[in-house]
Amino acid sequence: MNKTVNINLANILFHIDEKAFNKLQRYLESIKRSFSGTAGSDEIISDIEARIAELFQEKMENDRQVITLKEVDEVINVMGQPEDYMVDEDIFEDEPRKYEQSRPKAKKLYRDIDNKYIGGVCSGLEHYLGFDALWIRLIFILFALFTGFGFIAYILLWILVPEAATTSQKLDMRGEPVNISNIEKKVKEGFDDVADRVKSVDYEEVGNKVKSGGKTFFDALGDIIMFLFKVFGKFIGILLIIIGAATLIGLFVGLFTVGVLDIVHIPGIDFYDMVNSTSAPVWLVSLLAFFAVGIPFFFLLYLGLKILVNNLKSIGNIAKFSLLGLWLLSVIGLSVLGIQQASSHAYNGTTTVKEDLYFANTLDTLHIKLNSGDYYDLQENIGIDGMTVSYDDDGDKILFSDDVTVNFRRSEDSISRIQIRKDANGSSFDSAKERSRQINYDYSIDGNILNLDDFLTTAANNKVRDQEVRVTIFIPANTILTFDESAKYHIGRATKYDKDISRTDLIDYQWQMQNNGVLKCLDCPAIYDESKENGHIRIDENGVDIDIEDNGETFKMKIDENGVRINDKNGVDIDIREDGDTFKMKIDENGVEIKTNESN
């Protein structure tokens, strides 16, 4: 059992083993002794401590983990020993270096605020990509002028890319190892730059700048833009948190509800089995859906928290990759189940039955009626794809649907016939065919009334596979057809009729089957019918009929299948003018006279 110590390193709290603490304390004291009397020694020590704290954080898996001698030795190995470096080693330029150079380090993208014109984006890209910042600026300007994308890209990079503020970040930006030597070198460069600037400063110019304002135009503009985008970013962060949290809560409630319903077998949840063509239980499908949808929204929630909380600790690479792997497995699992489900509808099978209809008396008028049965009263009010769970007279669970369509065609002879076509889907043609055979549908004859079921049923183990029934009634020519109100929504598109009305309105009129297979309306209202004291005007399916008598003068016009007839007491007078062309025809006691704009 070892004693632990709490330390504050670079304003970060760590739990460290006592032996590791003693070694780290000796290490930091030796570094302070090495840089005592050196310009910028306090900043060097502060940057070294910040880098050590950063390395400790990378090695910790959780906040309560204790730092041991192993972690301290690894950090010292990265940072190096103070005696490995000479404070003034740059003086001896011809002397070989006394330490081995570290391997090149991967660069990190930062904004270089020391060499910025606006936001330091191009200067940071220069370090990261290895291109001169001048060319990068020209590319941004060209894209901004011709596409507008350059301006948007620059603003986004300005917002999203952090600035290289600390010495460690500046070393990371250049791809240099963050160790004692480089930190010391970087800090000394900063002090040398300051000294050179102090020597070469134009105090009069500085005074003028102080009077005109301490900030450049771009600095002020940058501060305003950054403030606005920070406010906007906070709003986006809150929005992401609300969306992510609400979705996760909804998914959790849904998963819990479905799981409980499946376990206790509450009526209604069994309908899942009627649809499911895989062997996967409902709880497994719900769990896969929870992970497939929930994990992206969890990261959305986490992103919102990162935007709002600057020092939010990372969940760690192990957790990130574990969630990513779980998400991929869930998506793959759902994809496999989805393919299996889709394949269950890949084939369509049909069973057709055609029978003659025998009526007790000679059939002049056929009345069509559709019966609903008792299944509507027994249904569980839970349905999908037109199918509903119900029960038969023996109490066995069945599937019930009203997907029944009735069409009417002319019979080739004097005998009426009925054709019942049953359709169903399946994963193979044979299975689809067998499911179509399992569909139950019936009809009956009562006098001149043909009673059709407006529903179909099938056993529950046949599951929902787009079962449907298409009924075709073949009736002889000149047979009159009437409908009950129950047939309103079951007349199919294959029925041909001679009126431009909705199929649901066919039940309001009487129809007669014609030789060409078209139903002719016997009592449909005329298109236009107006009676006057001196005659009438009527337009209907028979044509146009105008008969007007006024002050002893008579005008008659009739247009029907026999042609056109126009006459009055003076004979027939037709005058047509269209697009500059004139046609005149007059028939009277003098004979026939025809005139056009070209000849007489």
Side-chain angles (χ1 to χ4, degrees), residues 221-244:
L221 179 62
D223 291 342
I224 294 173
I225 293 176
M226 289 303 296
F227 172 77
L228 294 177
F229 276 107
K230 283 180 180 179
V231 174
F232 180 73
K234 298 297 183 183
F235 173 76
I236 294 297
I238 295 173
L239 188 63
L240 293 178
I241 291 174
I242 293 174
I243 294 174

Side-chain angles (χ1 to χ4, degrees), residues 365-397:
T365 301
L366 176 62
H367 187 71
I368 303 299
K369 182 178 181 181
L370 279 85
N371 301 316
S372 61
D374 299 329
Y375 295 109
Y376 284 107
D377 300 330
L378 298 174
Q379 59 182 312
E380 292 183 354
N381 297 322
I382 299 177
I384 187 171
D385 199 19
M387 301 293 286
T388 305
V389 177
S390 188
Y391 300 90
D392 60 16
D393 295 336
D394 298 327
D396 296 328
K397 184 174 291 187

Side-chain angles (χ1 to χ4, degrees), residues 7 58 81 110 164 203 236 353 494 595:
I7 62 172
E58 292 177 357
Q81 294 290 346
Y110 288 96
Y203 292 99
I236 294 297
V353 177
K595 293 182 179 181

Side-chain angles (χ1 to χ4, degrees), residues 40-48 167 183 187 191:
S41 60
D42 292 338
E43 185 175 351
I44 293 174
I45 298 301
S46 177
D47 287 335
I48 291 174
T167 303
I183 291 175
V187 172
F191 274 93

Side-chain angles (χ1 to χ4, degrees), residues 6 30 37 45 219 298 332:
N6 294 331
S30 64
I45 298 301
D219 287 334
F298 168 77
I332 293 172

